[in-house]
Amino acid sequence: MEYITSVLAPLHPAVQALIATLFTWGVTALGAALVFFFKKFNQKALDCMLGFAAGVMIAASFWSLLAPAIEMSEQNGSSLPSWAPALIGFMTGGLFLFLIDKLLPHLHPGFDIQKSEGPKTGFRRSILLVLAIVLHNIPEGLAVGVAFGAVSHDLPSASLGSAIALAIGIGLQNFPEGTAVSVPLRREGMKRSKAFFYGQMSGIVEPIAGVIGALLVIHMQAILPYALSFAAGAMIFVVVEELIPESQLADNTDWTTLATLLGFGVMMTLDVALG
């Protein structure tokens, strides 16, 4: 960890965010690469992986995003109550994902194509699946970028270690996302290489969102609490609207619940230990 910090510390925050989100995209690709080894994947294992991802995102939303946002509001001496920027940003982030969810055609893994959401299109199932994970990855990339951009302001509540911990946590929960796209496509008869391509492409938005998030908060310190909590609200929307329902489709509820608790514990430990 000290080595990683020493390597990243001299770099511009936007470059740090780019490297971190390239890592999270790479883990998505690793998950998609399981398609080269499995045509089918144990459903209970996949459900547990999705539950674990949900736990990571819930913990990251509080420990890495909302708590620092509230602390920053207290330090800024704003006329608003310290909780107000966090609440405004959190609800705005959820509303943003709600609107994107209605505007972007997509299909959540595990559902029939008749249950695709957003505007009706003639897109193939594979494209709709990728778009669903792209929708999921926007707030994740934004969260990582904002976390690294916040470090540039030398605030006690924003540390490089905490930003790295968030990137590691997001990376861990990206693994099942790649798998959730590529393996079902392979099961439906798609070539392994093509299924892998679609699976890893679902993470391409993270470096873009990460750099944008970092650049925004670098130049506008006043929006930091709002930006952090915005990412948290968007992530919680994804957890409740997508990850938890998908992890429970096959009635593996007890196992997925335990996996969610484990994911929360891992992310909490990473943030507290490294931040």
Side-chain angles (χ1 to χ4, degrees):
M1 180 62 187
E2 290 182 4
Y3 174 75
I4 297 174
T5 303
S6 64
V7 170
L8 291 178
L11 302 176
H12 188 276
V15 177
Q16 294 172 345
L18 176 62
I19 293 172
T21 48
L22 286 174
F23 161 75
T24 60
W25 180 17
V27 180
T28 304
L30 283 177
L34 290 183
V35 76
F36 292 112
F37 306 98
F38 304 99
K39 184 174 182 178
K40 296 183 178 180
F41 198 76
N42 183 273
Q43 189 61 47
K44 182 182 288 187
L46 183 57
D47 289 345
C48 287
M49 290 164 68
L50 291 171
F52 179 87
V56 168
M57 291 183 70
I58 294 169
S61 295
F62 176 73
W63 295 100
S64 299
L65 300 170
L66 283 174
I70 294 171
E71 189 174 341
M72 288 174 190
S73 297
E74 293 173 345
Q75 294 164 354
N76 289 342
S78 170
S79 58
L80 292 173
S82 60
W83 50 263
L87 177 61
I88 294 169
F90 183 82
M91 296 306 297
T92 304
L95 180 61
F96 173 77
L97 256 289
F98 174 80
L99 294 175
I100 295 295
D101 193 65
K102 300 303 180 186
L103 296 174
L104 182 71
H106 60 283
L107 174 67
H108 297 300
F111 288 90
D112 295 329
I113 193 166
Q114 291 80 7
K115 293 186 178 181
S116 60
E117 300 180 10
K120 298 302 179 183
T121 69
F123 290 166
R124 296 193 303 269
R125 176 182 172 85
S126 56
I127 300 298
L128 292 172
L129 284 169
V130 172
L131 288 175
I133 306 300
V134 166
L135 176 66
H136 182 160
N137 285 340
I138 291 172
E140 295 172 12
L142 182 64
V144 174
V146 169
F148 278 96
V151 178
S152 66
H153 296 291
D154 295 322
L155 298 171
S157 52
S159 69
L160 184 56
S162 180
I164 293 172
L166 176 61
I168 293 173
I170 295 297
L172 287 175
Q173 66 89 44
N174 273 0
F175 189 88
E177 292 177 6
T179 305
V181 175
S182 63
V183 172
L185 292 178
R186 172 58 182 162
R187 188 167 60 238
E188 293 172 8
M190 185 176 287
K191 291 182 179 180
R192 294 181 191 272
S193 57
K194 193 172 182 179
F196 167 75
F197 174 78
Y198 280 121
Q200 63 83 32
M201 277 296 290
S202 64
I204 195 172
V205 72
E206 288 197 5
I208 299 169
V211 172
I212 291 173
L215 290 173
L216 280 175
V217 299
I218 287 170
H219 298 294
M220 292 181 282
Q221 182 177 350
I223 71 167
L224 256 177
Y226 299 94
L228 288 167
S229 50
F230 179 95
M235 287 171 64
I236 291 297
F237 182 92
V238 168
V239 169
V240 178
E241 198 264 347
E242 179 181 337
L243 285 180
I244 290 178
E246 286 173 21
S247 71
Q248 310 262 338
L249 280 176
D251 295 326
N252 295 312
T253 54
D254 289 340
W255 287 104
T256 55
T257 300
L258 290 173
T260 302
L261 293 174
L262 177 62
F264 186 99
V266 168
M267 186 64 230
M268 179 180 66
T269 303
L270 278 172
D271 193 271
V272 174
L274 302 181

